[in-house]
């Protein structure tokens, strides 16, 4: 029997949930389809967000034959067999070869692909959940563009679930399906941006429940908990409690209480909310720790990337590492204070006149306009610094950044004080 997730595959790019940075008027993939010209691409992103579906749509919309292989199971022979079929597709505009988990192909397999790519006989679209700049051979990366797919927003997954319920009712001639909003939100949050996982879980729940009468299906919260073998945390993913919990999480880290921070992390993860946790940790690293521990954001990014790759329950380990690091780090809000101060100036000033010596002078006629004529190149001076004005007219003495009272920022402040007052 065909799975529900397969039945609900989008039939057009407009039906693809999320990925608005790639799909839409003027966006990369939509523009390719409009022009009828595809490039070799590596799709990079977590599972269940539409990479295979989009590849299939690109082939259909540009009238190309679509052949799909999986690098974890298919061999070099399978690749060659697929490529040898090229001559059979004379009635179409070519072949789009899609290879899932392309990072698992060895160098020899990838070299075979390169020969066909360079001849222009195929369009290769590979997909990977690993960072292709590290996991895929550089020779292949240099001949393709990396297209990053983002995890689906919670709202995207909820919309997909609601669409699936309507489809299921129509397919099975059901008037209504009674299931609580909290249950649907739990299914969505448990998926962590993976639509296929959400639809598979929903289908398990639907298949396990019979209609109470000819036209209505009743699904209780306990039914959902029994099938998913997880207790539903009673907070509203759209409502106040969810955001209150995230707020308490950030304030506890800002307040350097690692134990409270870990408790709120556990509560969020029990609700299956991996995406919000990752985003909040990255914000905290810049907003609350900032330059007091400049390496924190790099470490947190590595931890959150690891969490998305691992998924729950293992994701709890790198996320706990990030939480403890941030909670126990020295704190500084100098970064957010500085940028917000600059943003406020923009909002309150109608026109900012850029200094003439900072404007572009690399074009004919720039000299006569005074562009870049008095610019002084700092690298020609001691300590790579020379005093000159960089601010727009009227803001020459304006200060946005005020160093925090921590070891790193105080050392930086002393360094520049010695140089600028020398």
């Amino acid at each position: 029997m065909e799975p529900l997730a397969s039945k609900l595959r989008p039939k057009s790019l407009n039906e693809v949930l999320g990925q608005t940075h790639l799909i839409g008027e003027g966006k990369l993939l939509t523009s390719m389809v409009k022009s009828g010209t595809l490039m070799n691409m590596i799709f990079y992103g977590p599972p269940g967000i539409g990479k295979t579906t989009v590849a299939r749509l690109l082939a259909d919309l540009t009238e190309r034959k679509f052949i799909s292989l999986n690098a974890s199971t298919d061999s070099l022979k399978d690749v060659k067999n697929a490529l040898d079929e090229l001559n059979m597709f004379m009635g179409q505009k070519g072949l789009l070869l899609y290879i899932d988990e392309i990072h698992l192909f060895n160098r020899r397999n990838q070299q075979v692909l390169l020969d066909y790519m360079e001849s222009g006989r195929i369009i290769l679209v590979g997909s990977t959940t690993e960072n292709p700049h590290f996991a895929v051979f550089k020779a292949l990366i240099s001949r393709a563009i990396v297209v990053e797919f983002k995890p689906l927003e919670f709202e995207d997954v909820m919309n997909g679930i609601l669409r699936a319920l309507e489809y299921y009712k129509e397919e099975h001639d059901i008037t209504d399906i009674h299931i609580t909003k909290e249950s649907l939100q739990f299914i969505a949050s448990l998926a962590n941006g993976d639509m296929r996982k959400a639809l598979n879980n929903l289908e398990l729940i639907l298949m396990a429940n019979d209609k109470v009468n000819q036209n209505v299906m009743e699904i209780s919260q306990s039914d959902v908990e029994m099938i998913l073998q997880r207790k539903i945390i009673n907070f509203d993913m759209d409502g106040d409690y969810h955001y209150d919990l995230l707020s308490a999480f950030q304030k506890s880290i800002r307040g350097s209480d690692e134990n409270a921070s870990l408790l709120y992390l556990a509560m969020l993860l029990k609700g299956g909310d991996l995406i919000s946790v990752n985003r909040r940790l990255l914000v905290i690293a810049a907003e609350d720790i900032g330059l007091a521990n400049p390496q924190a954001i790099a470490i947190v990014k590595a931890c959150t990337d690891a969490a998305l790759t691992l998924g729950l329950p293992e994701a709890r380990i790198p996320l706990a590492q990030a939480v403890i690091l941030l909670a126990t780090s020295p704190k500084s809000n100098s970064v957010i204070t500085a940028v917000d101060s600059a943003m406020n100036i923009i909002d309150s000033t109608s026109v900012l006149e850029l200094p003439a010596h900072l404007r572009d002078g690399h074009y004919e006629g720039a000299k006569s306009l005074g562009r870049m004529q008095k610019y002084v190149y700092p690298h020609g001076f001691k300590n790579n610094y020379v005093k000159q004005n960089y601010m727009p007219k009227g803001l020459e003495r304006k200060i946005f950044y005020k160093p925090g009272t921590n070891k790193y920022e105080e050392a930086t402040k002393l360094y520049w004080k010695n140089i600028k007052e020398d």
Side-chain angles (χ1 to χ4, degrees):
M1 184 177 67
E2 186 180 7
L4 183 60
S6 179
K7 294 176 182 177
L8 289 170
R9 281 187 187 276
K11 303 296 190 297
S12 70
L13 286 178
N14 291 334
E15 293 180 13
V16 175
L17 293 170
Q19 316 313 328
T20 54
H21 62 299
L22 301 174
I23 297 169
E25 188 64 33
K27 302 300 175 63
L28 176 66
L29 298 182
T30 302
S31 297
M32 283 189 184
V33 169
K34 281 189 174 181
S35 68
T37 303
L38 299 182
M39 300 177 67
N40 297 306
M41 292 176 279
I42 303 295
F43 287 177
Y44 163 47
I49 57 174
K51 298 190 296 295
T52 304
T53 295
V54 169
R56 189 183 298 275
L57 286 171
L58 291 178
D60 291 342
L61 294 170
T62 57
E63 299 179 25
R64 286 174 168 84
K65 175 68 177 179
F66 180 81
I67 292 182
S68 178
L69 298 175
N70 191 304
S72 64
T73 55
D74 293 318
S75 65
L76 178 59
K77 181 180 178 181
D78 297 306
V79 175
K80 287 184 174 180
N81 287 342
L83 297 176
D84 286 342
E85 294 182 31
L86 273 172
N87 293 331
M88 299 172 59
F89 308 132
M90 299 302 291
Q92 293 182 294
K93 295 181 180 179
L95 170 67
L96 189 153
L97 178 63
Y98 178 75
I99 301 181
D100 198 11
E101 303 297 341
I102 194 169
H103 62 279
L104 297 177
F105 263 169
N106 59 32
R107 187 180 296 273
R108 184 184 176 196
N109 285 13
Q110 293 193 25
Q111 183 60 52
V112 171
L113 295 174
L114 288 176
D115 294 340
Y116 281 83
M117 291 167 64
E118 289 180 340
S119 69
R121 287 183 287 174
I122 68 166
I123 294 296
L124 173 72
V125 177
S127 76
T128 176
T129 55
E130 305 291 332
N131 188 327
H133 294 288
F134 300 109
V136 179
F137 288 112
K138 287 182 172 57
L140 199 152
I141 286 289
S142 69
R143 292 164 175 82
I145 60 172
V146 175
V147 179
E148 183 175 4
F149 281 62
K150 304 293 180 64
L152 296 180
E153 302 279 356
F154 174 79
E155 283 299 326
D156 292 328
V157 180
M158 275 297 291
N159 288 337
I161 288 174
L162 294 174
R163 182 191 298 177
L165 285 175
E166 292 302 315
Y167 178 89
Y168 194 88
K169 285 194 294 186
E170 184 176 339
E171 184 184 43
H172 294 271
D173 194 23
I174 298 172
T175 302
D176 204 1
I177 298 174
H178 294 163
I179 181 170
T180 66
K181 178 182 177 182
E182 289 74 20
S183 295
L184 294 178
Q185 289 174 332
F186 182 65
I187 295 168
S189 65
L190 201 62
N192 293 314
D194 184 333
M195 180 58 73
R196 183 168 54 240
K197 180 178 179 180
L199 294 180
N200 287 343
N201 282 338
L202 178 65
E203 187 171 24
L204 281 174
I205 293 164
L206 293 171
M207 291 173 63
N209 285 270
D210 295 323
K211 289 178 285 187
V212 173
N213 56 50
Q214 188 63 29
N215 298 104
V216 178
M217 179 181 286
E218 296 280 352
I219 300 175
S220 67
Q221 186 166 306
S222 60
D223 293 331
V224 176
E225 291 176 339
M226 181 179 66
I227 296 299
L228 299 183
Q229 299 181 31
R230 295 281 296 274
K231 182 174 177 59
I232 295 176
I233 303 297
N234 289 314
F235 64 83
D236 186 350
M237 290 293 294
D238 290 329
D240 291 340
Y241 188 74
H242 176 61
Y243 294 105
D244 286 345
L245 188 54
L246 285 169
S247 177
F249 179 56
Q250 180 165 0
K251 287 181 172 68
S252 298
I253 294 176
R254 181 185 295 152
S256 303
D257 188 331
E258 65 273 22
N259 296 304
S261 305
L262 286 168
L263 176 65
Y264 295 130
L265 171 69
M267 292 174 70
L268 287 162
L269 295 183
K270 281 290 186 181
D273 188 10
L274 189 58
I275 302 300
S276 294
V277 170
N278 284 1
R279 289 179 171 174
R280 191 59 65 108
L281 287 172
L282 288 167
V283 168
I284 293 168
E287 179 181 347
D288 296 305
I289 284 75
L291 294 175
N293 183 357
Q295 295 302 314
I297 193 166
I299 298 170
V300 170
K301 180 64 166 69
C303 289
T304 54
D305 283 350
L308 288 173
T309 300
L310 291 168
L312 290 169
E314 290 84 357
R316 74 191 190 282
I317 304 169
L319 291 179
Q321 178 180 340
V323 166
I324 294 170
L325 170 70
L326 295 177
T328 57
S329 285
K331 305 298 188 293
S332 172
N333 72 339
S334 62
V335 171
I336 186 173
T337 300
V339 71
D340 283 353
S341 180
M343 296 292 285
N344 288 336
I345 287 291
I346 301 299
D347 292 338
S348 61
T349 307
S350 57
V351 178
L352 292 176
E353 183 180 342
L354 303 180
H357 63 283
L358 297 185
R359 298 187 187 185
D360 182 21
H362 299 92
Y363 59 91
E364 187 177 351
K367 186 174 181 179
S368 64
L369 295 173
R371 303 294 192 257
M372 212 172 79
Q373 297 308 300
K374 295 182 180 180
Y375 174 68
V376 183
Y377 189 58
H379 294 297
F381 293 81
K382 180 182 177 182
N383 297 315
N384 303 301
Y385 173 77
V386 62
K387 187 174 182 179
Q388 65 183 324
N389 176 52
Y390 294 96
M391 277 290 199
K393 187 176 180 179
L395 297 178
E396 288 83 358
R397 297 185 179 278
K398 186 67 179 176
I399 294 174
F400 299 121
Y401 171 61
K402 298 178 181 178
T405 54
N406 55 80
K407 184 177 180 181
Y408 179 87
E409 290 185 272
E410 287 178 342
T412 302
K413 179 181 178 181
L414 180 61
Y415 171 81
W416 284 111
K417 183 176 185 292
N418 290 336
I419 289 175
K420 293 182 179 183
E421 295 181 1
D422 188 5

